[in-house]
């Protein structure tokens, strides 16, 4: 089947973000597609220990994910121009821990969080306590074209 993502979350908000940023790995798939659709650059945030750069060039943020496992995210400290508006994109927000860690990295490199886009937001109580509650958080509409639909063709 073919999955087509629609992006209603940023179409009528000023001039839009300067960059789309997503955490590794599945967030990159959605983030790259969104950046392409918006005509902006993409920057990936790496899992700890996966970056090809020396530790001196990286900033990192530890967090505890939905499985109660401590993890780390890394971003090159000079990867994004200061004052860039950043749209964070991830496929799933369950506890908000990963997105909160990404926001911390973005703030520490001097960028401005613009908004958050995701396919699914769990309605867990822990999300209400996250540091992104003041941002525009939108679920992205998804249209799925199945082989039984007339729109599907090989």
């Amino acid at each position: 089947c073919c999955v087509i993502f629609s992006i209603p979350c940023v179409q009528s908000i000023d001039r839009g973000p300067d960059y789309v940023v997503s955490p590794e790995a599945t967030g990159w798939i959605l983030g790259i597609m969104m950046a392409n659709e918006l005509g902006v650059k993409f920057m990936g945030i790496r899992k700890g220990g996966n970056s090809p750069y020396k530790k001196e060039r990286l900033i990192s943020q530890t967090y505890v994910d939905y499985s109660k496992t401590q993890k780390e995210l890394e971003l090159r400290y000079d990867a994004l121009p200061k004052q860039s508006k950043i749209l964070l994109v991830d496929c799933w927000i369950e506890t908000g821990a990963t997105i909160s860690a990404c926001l911390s990295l973005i703030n520490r490199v001097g960028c401005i969080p613009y908004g958050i886009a995701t396919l699914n937001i769990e309605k867990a109580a822990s999300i209400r306590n996250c540091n992104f509650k003041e941002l525009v958080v939108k679920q992205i509409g998804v249209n799925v074209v199945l082989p039984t639909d007339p729109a599907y063709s090989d």
Side-chain angles (χ1 to χ4, degrees):
C1 78
C2 173
V3 179
I4 304 162
F5 298 96
S6 60
I7 307 166
C9 62
V10 293
Q11 289 177 345
S12 63
I13 308 173
D14 61 59
R15 68 173 182 81
D18 300 310
Y19 283 82
V20 170
V21 174
S22 298
E24 186 177 4
T26 56
W28 287 12
I29 298 165
L30 188 56
I32 290 168
M33 291 172 60
M34 174 120 15
N36 184 57
E37 182 72 21
L38 294 173
V40 300
K41 295 178 182 177
F42 172 81
M43 177 57 60
I45 293 179
R46 302 296 304 254
K47 292 177 183 175
N50 287 350
S51 178
Y53 301 102
K54 293 182 180 183
K55 272 289 201 202
E56 305 83 56
R57 296 193 64 199
L58 301 171
I59 59 169
S60 62
Q61 181 67 47
T62 58
Y63 67 102
V64 177
D65 74 358
Y66 68 93
S67 68
K68 308 286 189 253
T69 305
Q70 184 167 318
K71 296 191 175 178
E72 181 180 46
L73 294 175
E74 296 175 332
L75 181 64
R76 208 177 72 228
Y77 71 85
D78 59 353
L80 298 163
K82 292 192 182 318
Q83 299 300 306
S84 295
K85 293 193 306 186
I86 306 300
L87 176 63
L88 278 171
V89 177
D90 202 1
C91 55
W92 192 279
I93 298 176
E94 187 162 341
T95 65
T98 303
I99 287 293
S100 291
C102 291
L103 274 171
S104 176
L105 290 172
I106 285 167
N107 287 324
R108 289 169 53 201
V109 297
C111 292
I112 302 163
Y114 177 78
I116 299 167
T118 185
L119 290 177
N120 190 60
I121 303 170
E122 289 291 319
K123 302 299 180 194
S126 58
I127 289 179
R128 290 191 288 272
N129 301 320
C130 290
N131 67 351
F132 56 83
K133 59 186 167 209
E134 72 284 354
L135 288 176
V136 174
V137 180
K138 296 281 185 168
Q139 284 187 248
I140 304 163
V142 178
N143 301 315
V144 180
V145 181
L146 300 173
T148 56
D149 288 345
Y152 178 81
S153 62
D154 280 328

